[in-house]
Amino acid sequence: MLVLYETAAGYALFKLVDDGKIEKSGEIYKDFETAESANKAVKLKAFKKFENTTDALAAVTGIVEGQMPKNLKKFLEEEISDKEMKKEKLIISDPKLGSSINKKLGINVLSDSSVQDLYRGIREQFESLVSGLSHADLAAMSLGLSHSLSRYKLKFSPDKVDTMIVQAIALLDDLDKELNTYAMRAKEWYGWHFPEMTKIIVDNLAYAKVVKAIGFRTNAHAVDLSDVLPEELEAEVKEAAEISMGTEISDEDIDNIFALCDQVINITEYRTQLYEYLKNRMNAIAPNLTALVGELVGARLISHAGSLMNLSKQPASTIQILGAEKALFRALKTKHNTPKYGLLYHASLVGQAGPKHKAKVARMLAAKTALALRVDALGENESNEIGIDGRTKVETRINMLEGRVASSANKDTSTKKQSKFKFNKPQQYNEQTDVVMTEATEAPKRKIEEVVAEVEAEEPETKKAKKEKKEKKEKKEKKEKKEKKEKKEKKEKK
C-alpha cells in the first residue's frame, strides 16, 4: 500500500512495508514510537517540494475544497506506474480528496477512520522519515502557509470590508432605539414643568437644545432661541411659557434633566457622524446597490445575509422576501398567500408605487438588485452605472404602471441613430405617364314589364319552399307529441 502525506513543504509518498498492519489500527502506534521502528514500518518512495508559497497555497486550497490540484496529479502520475495504479491501494486522510483522485486516476483509494492512527505516527516521526527538513524550517513553512490560506479565505481588502457595514447598521439601529427612549423620557420629565412645549416642538434634538437654553420656563422671555428655532416657533414657545400650567421644579431636578438632554444631543450628533461613515462605506463597497435601494436598505440586506458575497449568491426571489422569513413560513404552514416583500419594502422606489403595484415593483427591483450585487461583489469596476441604469428602468416602469408615460421601460435605445439627411432633387414632369380617362359605356336600360315578370316568376318558388318547410315542422311536432302520449299510457298501465 502507498501512503500520500501532504505537508507545508510538499507532497510525500510512502510505501507501507506490511499491508496487514492497517487492519490492526489499534497497534500501529507501537511502530512509530521510535525513529528506527518508523523507518521499518514505512519507506519514503518520493517527495516533491513546493517551488514557492504561491504554489503551496494553490495546492492547499484545492485540497481543502476536496479537489485534486494539478501539481499533485502530475506527481502521482510520475511516481506511480500503470501497473501499480491497478494493483496498489493509495491511503489518503481526506475522503473528498480520495474520491477525486479515484475518479481522475482510477487508483483504488482507502480513506476511512482506520488510517488516522497511521497519519498520527507519520506526523510524529516525519523529520526522521524525510531527510533534509529540520523542525524549524517546517514550522516556518507551516506558519507562512497558514497565514496565506487565512488571507485567501478572508479575501482581505481594506476597501471591501463588509463586516464594518454589518456592525455600523446594527449600531445605527441601536442608537435610534436609545435616542427615542431618552428623548421620550426627557419630554415626560420636563413636561411636568412645561407641558405645552411638547406639542409645539416635535423634533427631539431641537427640544433638548431649547430645554438646555431655557432651563426654568420663567427664563423663556429673556432667552434668544433664534439659533435653535425659527421665529414663529420661538414666539409660540415664549407665549406658552407665560401661561403654562406646569408645576414648579427644583435646581436638582433641572440639573438631571440637563444631563439627560446632553445625552440626547451627543447621541444625535454621533448618529449623524455614523450615518455619514456608513454612507461612504456603502458607496465604496457596493456603489450599484446603494444607487438602486439606498444606503440603509442596502446595509440591512448585507447585514441580514452576513456578507456582500453571500448576498450576491442569492437569487432575486430570495432577495425580494429577505427579512420576511417568519411571515413566509407562517404562510406556507397555514397555506395562505406568501409575502411579496421584506426589507425591500423600505426602499424609496417601492414607496413611490401605489398600493396595487408595490408587489410588481418589488419583484422588478429585486431582479435589478441581484444584478447590481453580483457586479459589486465580483466585478472589478467601481462605477455605479448599472445601479443608476436599473433605477431609471424601475422608475420608468412605475410611471408606466401609474399611467403617467407610455411603455418604453426596457426598450434598447443604444442602437438607434439619427439617419443622415439627404437632399433629393425633384423629378421633372413626364407627360407620357399621363392616363386619359374615357367615358364608361352605360348598360342598356330594361323595360319595366321584363323586371316585373322576373319577380313574379321567383315569388312562387320562394312561397313553395316556405310552405314545405312549415309542413315538415308540423309533422315533426305531431310525431313527438304522439310518442310522448304513448310513453305516458304505458307507464299508467304498469
Side-chain angles (χ1 to χ4, degrees), residues 230-486:
E231 291 180 5
E232 299 83 7
L233 284 178
E234 185 182 357
E236 199 173 343
V237 167
K238 288 181 178 180
E239 287 175 9
E242 293 176 1
I243 56 169
S244 177
M245 301 288 289
T247 59
E248 297 296 329
I249 55 175
S250 64
D251 292 335
E252 191 177 355
D253 296 331
I254 205 73
D255 288 339
N256 284 297
I257 293 170
F258 281 172
L260 185 58
C261 290
D262 286 332
Q263 292 286 334
V264 172
I265 294 166
N266 292 334
I267 292 173
T268 307
E269 288 174 355
Y270 177 60
R271 189 201 176 281
T272 308
Q273 179 189 342
L274 185 65
Y275 177 74
E276 286 297 321
Y277 165 78
L278 180 65
K279 188 177 177 181
N280 295 332
R281 275 285 178 192
M282 282 297 294
N283 283 321
I285 293 170
N288 292 292
L289 179 65
T290 307
L292 203 56
V293 298
E295 301 87 16
L296 293 176
V297 177
R300 285 194 176 95
L301 285 170
I302 292 171
S303 176
H304 197 81
S307 69
L308 181 65
M309 187 61 70
N310 289 346
L311 185 60
S312 66
K313 292 175 184 176
Q314 303 294 339
S317 56
T318 305
I319 293 169
Q320 184 181 346
I321 58 168
L322 210 63
E325 287 83 4
K326 284 185 180 178
L328 174 65
F329 293 122
R330 185 170 61 247
L332 292 173
K333 190 177 180 181
T334 57
K335 294 182 180 178
H336 285 84
N337 292 334
T338 53
K340 300 293 184 293
Y341 27 64
L343 291 168
L344 280 181
Y345 182 78
H346 302 289
S348 59
L349 287 171
V350 178
Q352 288 176 22
K356 291 181 181 178
H357 307 305
K358 281 188 187 294
K360 284 184 180 179
V361 174
R363 187 165 61 249
M364 187 178 181
L365 182 61
K368 298 296 180 190
T369 304
L371 292 174
L373 279 165
R374 284 158 197 171
V375 173
D376 288 335
L378 306 169
E380 295 178 358
N381 194 2
E382 295 182 358
S383 66
N384 58 354
E385 291 176 4
I386 289 174
I388 293 169
D389 184 45
R391 187 180 182 88
T392 307
K393 286 183 178 178
V394 175
E395 285 175 348
T396 312
R397 176 68 174 160
I398 292 168
N399 292 333
M400 189 194 78
L401 290 170
E402 300 289 341
R404 292 195 282 266
V405 292
S407 59
S408 60
N410 292 318
K411 288 183 179 178
D412 187 13
T413 56
S414 60
T415 56
K416 289 185 179 180
K417 291 182 180 178
Q418 188 175 3
S419 57
K420 190 178 179 181
F421 176 74
K422 292 181 180 179
F423 179 75
N424 296 322
K425 292 182 180 179
Q427 295 181 354
Q428 292 181 351
Y429 183 73
N430 190 3
E431 293 180 357
Q432 294 178 359
T433 56
D434 287 348
V435 178
V436 179
M437 299 294 291
T438 56
E439 292 185 4
T441 56
E442 293 184 1
K445 292 182 179 180
R446 299 167 67 191
K447 292 181 179 181
I448 187 94
E449 292 83 3
E450 293 176 3
V451 176
V452 171
E454 280 182 10
V455 172
E456 287 176 354
E458 288 176 0
E459 279 180 359
E461 290 178 2
T462 54
K463 285 180 181 178
K464 191 177 179 181
K466 285 180 181 178
K467 193 175 181 182
E468 286 176 359
K469 195 174 182 182
K470 192 176 181 183
E471 285 174 358
K472 282 181 181 178
K473 194 176 182 182
E474 286 175 357
K475 283 180 182 179
K476 194 176 181 182
E477 288 176 355
K478 283 179 182 179
K479 193 176 179 181
E480 287 176 357
K481 283 180 182 178
K482 193 176 180 181
E483 287 176 355
K484 284 181 182 178
K485 194 175 181 182
E486 287 174 358

Side-chain angles (χ1 to χ4, degrees), residues 219-232:
N219 303 330
H221 66 280
V223 178
D224 183 21
L225 301 174
S226 58
D227 296 337
V228 184
L229 298 175
E231 291 180 5
E232 299 83 7

Side-chain angles (χ1 to χ4, degrees), residues 151-194:
R151 284 195 205 96
Y152 173 79
K153 280 191 170 182
L154 292 171
K155 293 179 180 175
F156 182 78
S157 171
D159 299 326
K160 291 244 173 192
V161 184
D162 47 11
T163 312
M164 301 302 168
I165 288 174
V166 175
Q167 299 297 331
I169 192 65
L171 180 57
L172 198 68
D173 291 338
D174 291 342
L175 285 177
D176 286 335
K177 289 177 186 175
E178 293 295 324
L179 193 59
N180 288 333
T181 306
Y182 282 13
M184 185 178 67
R185 184 65 57 205
K187 285 180 179 180
E188 285 182 3
W189 203 346
Y190 192 71
W192 286 99
H193 179 61
F194 191 180

Side-chain angles (χ1 to χ4, degrees), residues 1-3 14-22 31-32 36-45 88 91 118 122 129:
M1 284 187 182
L2 299 173
V3 183
F14 294 99
K15 172 77 174 174
L16 191 65
V17 176
D18 187 3
D19 295 348
K21 288 184 179 180
I22 199 70
D31 295 329
F32 292 93
E36 292 177 1
S37 60
N39 279 296
K40 290 178 183 178
V42 290
K43 299 287 184 183
L44 181 65
K45 183 178 173 67
E88 294 284 356
I91 299 173
L118 175 64
I122 293 172
L129 292 170

